[in-house]
Amino acid sequence: MTTLSLPGYGQREGDGPPTQDPFQRPDATVRSIAAYRSHQYTNGQLSIKATDGAMLKVRPWATGVVRIEYVPAGSPLQTMGSVSVVTLPATGLATSVRETSQSVDLELAENLRVAVSKNPLRLHLLRGADTIATEAWGAFQRMATAVSKQGVTGVSFRLRPGEQLYGTGARALPLDRRGRRLELYNQARYAYQNGAENLNLTLPVVVSSRGYALFFDNHTAGYLDLGATHKSVMEYGGEALDNVGYFLVAGDSYASILDRYTSLTGRQPLPPRWALGLIQSRFGYRSQAETEAVAQRMRREGFPLDALVLDLYWFGTTKDQGNLDWDYQKFPKPAAMMRNLDSVGVKTILISEPYVMRASRNDSVVRTQGLIGTDSVGRPFTVASFWAGPASLLDMFKPSAREWLWSYYKKRKTEGVGGWWSDLGEPENHPVEMHHVTGPTRKVHNAYGQAWASIFAEKYAQEYPQERLFNLARSGWAGMQRYSVFPWSGDINRSWSGFQAQIPIMLGVSIGGVGYMHSDAGGFCVGPIDPELYTRWLQMASLCPIMRPHGEGVPPEPYYYPEPYKSIVRNAVRQRYELLPYLYTLAWQNAQTGAPLARPMNYEAASGLDNEQLGNINDQYLLGPNLLVAPVIQPGQRRRNVLLPAGTWIDFYSHETLTGGQIVGRNAPLERVPLLVKAGAFLPLAPYVNTTARYHTDTLRVRFYADYDVPNSSFTLYEDDGKSAQAMAGGQFQLLSFLGTTAANQSEIHISASGQGYAKMPPSRVIELLIPRVAAAPSAVLVAGQPAPADTWRYDTTKQALHVRVRFQNQPLIVAIQGLRLNPVYTAAAPEILTLAAPGDRVFGGRTTLHYTLHTPGQHTLRIRDAQGQVVRTFQSATEMGTHQLPWNAEDQNGRPLPGGVYTAEMLGQHQRLVLVRPD
């Protein structure tokens, strides 16, 4: 892993922290921590007392991780509880404690140092001579006012020019969150689109391009001001806190920062392998017959399938939420149904909600047993405004409620349920007047979904310790990943705008330690049937951590769509199944180190390309270390620009070679989206199967993208039985290592195995090697030092690819290609001049907005044509680079209203369809 290619910003000369406070207190209602009075260092913790009676505690927690706690004057000196942190502080991390006239310093490993300046009392994290992070006006309390109602305790940090800020959870915003003020309060947003700032899953984690992360370990309602109020200051504030605790995590790469953060808050266990297959869902399957028919038709239409999701109707109507049992009139034999589905490789996933309807048969039970939220004096609270009708909200923090809920889950599990769907866990409707056993709404709200998820995780560990858990949920908090939560992005609008929001949402969550964010593929609600949108969305979903078509109002199953869309989606899903060895290895990497499956473009921080340019790319991403995915997120687009990191990149389909460190134009026919492979990479694939229940790796198809500029490369493939929860801990797996060396006229591929293996592991494997971009047949192919038989290798002249077939019997094996001549002819791929984007409204009554982005300066003509192709209106574009918009009021060039009908906006050969609807 390369380190962050970031310049060091020395804040001062010499070895001390700043001698003057560069920031003033923001307003008179804020009380910042005062100056130094005294300190002591005991049991690995530095405690500094301020002149105003406040306390600042600094504890090195792990290598590169420091916890800081601010206790205002008069607040109790107590250990703060955390719903996120799972590790205890290590000892002996500070190599020395040194006091000067200006500061108290803790020397740490990796040349790190925490310096606490005395007057004013401010904390700074340094690496050598460079200041990585420094407080601005320090820890503070903001007093409650008639407007704010709630007091806030928080801390602020200085921001540097060019510093980019990532994370913060699911936001339909650009990946770089700097300049925004964001709520930390999980909220449902029905039919949201691009631009929605606050969604179901917020995370109190900010990752900086300067090589540190801030994790604010308080789950009360709060905010992150990332340079919105003061452009050079990042501020966190939490409501009604007696004290505020946060962690500083330093690292020389995004990978090391996430490794340390997920070690602190817990890592995601391996998913069951079936979770990486196609999971089909809709709102909702209303009967056993319909459920079985969907599975049968998916098979009949040639689509793979690994799970079906049963939404609300498995227990009855929307008024029956909280029954937690089957509607036996519609699902007469659920256990037999699930057993039959499982026999053909299809798991059943059940939805449940935290609400118990007042009309539910369990209403009196949960109220009389005290299992629900209450008012301030302990009386059962009715959520009168819940969307489905009056309801009670289970108190997931109460042990008795947790046991009661698990009793139902266990019954369903015994019947054959394969996975779970925890919906509305923000909670969606959570009145501020409600109280839980751990506190009032705004204090506990953000931890609610996590408390719910922990029921499954804890009970599976106790009662089903050999089974992996799958819990589909849309809400959580820092540390949620350790509970086997697979989040989705909520009730997204079925529109191009909604689709465009999904990449930054996925990446914003992934850089916060949660590796499986995905969306309702195809879009959930409101929008009409749009086969092109559906196709492009599922193409992207096939290259995301989880693939799950879902929707209401229009069919989400791929077989409903006409040709060619149906076949295109089928091919994309089948390709995902072929990539399962790679995807499953990414899941293992995530479980080992916290590395997300889908990664921002600057995750590798490749040198040679401006980090600021790579750091806010919102329409492409890395899938693991070796693949670059560039989805098509504009209607009608058949070619798009792709920003390549440094190095060499190879087209997955055509094997064209592209020089990195530049923007290139790539063809994007409806049949596929641009998919590029890093030069030197190994990419393992497997034969297609229509369910992971039939997945096998006795044959592996391994592509080796040999490249002269990458003399050494490697990839380690992880394999186990796909279901045992103790596989990693018990060593029940196999690692297959591929090491490639490439020189001027020869390449060697070293294959080896390690690990004790697993049940039903193939005793040997056939490995079909493919080396693309080979100019001519090699002079010889040697296997284990001996000439390979002629029928085990061939050179494809047409595709310029070398195929070698070997049998690997779990002993080290070397395949040598002698006289190898690669064909490193680089493809010229001029970037597109502009992108004509989706209009504000494709169907409109009298006004819409046309959007376009100029990638190079210049002026161009935008033409509106009618259904006969006649130009009815022209506009001149802006001239400067960037995103622009043109309002059109459905009038022609002479200002006359145009009749209703189909129109087309056209600029430089790109088109957008418009439908003008006039009242009769």
Side-chain angles (χ1 to χ4, degrees), residues 52-336:
D52 62 354
M55 184 75 74
L56 191 68
K57 301 179 181 180
V58 182
R59 179 184 287 276
W61 200 271
T63 300
V65 181
V66 181
R67 175 177 166 80
I68 299 94
E69 185 176 347
Y70 165 56
V71 185
S75 294
L77 289 172
Q78 59 186 18
T79 302
M80 292 183 63
S82 174
V83 301
S84 302
V85 174
V86 295
T87 61
L88 295 174
T91 58
L93 293 173
T95 58
S96 69
V97 181
R98 182 167 61 96
E99 180 183 8
T100 70
S101 60
Q102 297 177 0
S103 67
V104 181
D105 295 1
L106 285 176
E107 300 287 345
L108 306 174
E110 297 186 341
N111 203 24
L112 293 171
R113 174 159 54 101
V114 174
V116 183
S117 56
K118 290 183 173 181
N119 190 13
L121 204 56
R122 301 288 185 267
L123 183 137
H124 319 273
L125 180 65
L126 303 95
R127 178 181 285 115
D130 293 333
T131 301
I132 301 173
T134 184
E135 291 181 346
W137 45 73
F140 64 86
Q141 283 184 299
R142 181 172 286 118
M143 304 300 108
T145 67
V147 176
S148 69
K149 307 296 183 183
Q150 290 280 359
V152 168
T153 304
V155 64
S156 62
F157 292 84
R158 180 180 177 182
L159 295 174
R160 306 301 175 81
E163 184 173 357
Q164 295 170 308
L165 304 175
Y166 310 115
T168 77
R171 321 269 182 182
L173 297 172
L175 189 57
D176 180 7
R177 306 286 160 81
R178 185 164 179 176
R180 300 181 182 273
R181 193 180 194 278
L182 304 172
E183 287 184 271
L184 289 172
Y185 200 74
N186 298 335
Q187 296 180 41
R189 289 280 190 266
Y190 184 78
Y192 74 90
Q193 299 189 70
N194 218 358
E197 291 192 345
N198 197 59
L199 296 173
N200 315 70
L201 197 168
T202 63
L203 293 173
V205 183
V206 181
V207 179
S208 167
S209 62
R210 285 191 39 76
Y212 69 90
L214 283 163
F215 160 43
F216 302 99
D217 189 21
N218 315 279
H219 58 270
T220 185
Y223 66 88
L224 289 167
D225 191 316
L226 306 179
T229 304
H230 304 271
K231 66 179 182 180
S232 297
V233 176
M234 167 173 44
E235 180 179 291
Y236 162 80
E239 291 181 3
L241 288 174
D242 291 330
N243 46 18
V244 62
Y246 69 92
F247 285 86
L248 262 170
V249 183
D252 60 5
S253 66
Y254 296 110
S256 65
I257 291 170
L258 274 183
D259 187 5
R260 289 168 177 178
Y261 168 74
T262 56
S263 176
L264 178 70
T265 59
R267 298 211 170 98
Q268 180 116 6
L270 269 174
R273 188 184 279 115
W274 64 259
L276 300 180
L278 177 67
I279 301 172
Q280 184 60 57
S281 179
R282 76 146 61 189
F283 181 76
Y285 301 123
R286 295 173 179 261
S287 68
Q288 180 173 333
E290 183 182 14
T291 303
E292 293 170 336
V294 170
Q296 291 165 3
R297 187 166 178 187
M298 287 289 284
R299 289 278 187 264
R300 191 167 65 249
E301 296 270 6
F303 290 95
L305 181 66
D306 263 273
L308 282 171
V309 181
L310 296 185
D311 208 323
L312 295 174
Y313 304 108
W314 71 272
F315 50 70
T317 70
T318 58
K319 301 294 184 184
D320 296 314
Q321 293 178 65
N323 281 3
L324 299 168
D325 200 356
W326 296 91
D327 177 351
Y328 289 98
Q329 289 187 338
K330 298 293 181 65
F331 292 86
K333 297 180 179 179

Side-chain angles (χ1 to χ4, degrees), residues 714-774:
S714 63
F715 186 81
T716 299
L717 172 70
Y718 176 86
E719 275 296 315
D720 63 16
D721 66 3
K723 60 184 181 180
S724 299
Q726 304 304 318
M728 284 175 54
Q732 298 163 3
F733 58 83
Q734 185 180 53
L735 298 177
L736 293 174
S737 297
F738 297 87
L739 174 66
T741 63
T742 302
N745 61 356
Q746 177 166 314
S747 182
E748 287 189 352
I749 301 164
H750 298 243
I751 309 171
S752 60
S754 61
Q756 68 187 43
Y758 55 94
K760 298 183 180 180
M761 184 181 78
S764 66
R765 288 180 169 88
V766 172
I767 297 180
E768 299 176 353
L769 291 167
L770 167 66
I771 305 177
R773 306 186 307 151
V774 177

Side-chain angles (χ1 to χ4, degrees), residues 799-850:
K799 295 184 177 180
Q800 291 195 318
L802 177 66
H803 299 261
V804 182
R805 187 174 183 270
V806 298
R807 180 166 293 279
F808 177 68
Q809 296 179 308
N810 297 319
Q811 297 298 319
L813 183 66
I814 300 176
V815 179
I817 316 296
Q818 295 184 343
L820 178 68
R821 289 171 49 208
L822 295 176
N823 183 20
V825 176
Y826 289 86
T827 301
E832 294 292 285
I833 295 172
L834 63 82
T835 298
L836 184 60
D841 294 293
R842 302 182 78 185
V843 180
F844 63 105
R847 187 179 184 85
T848 189
T849 301
L850 305 169

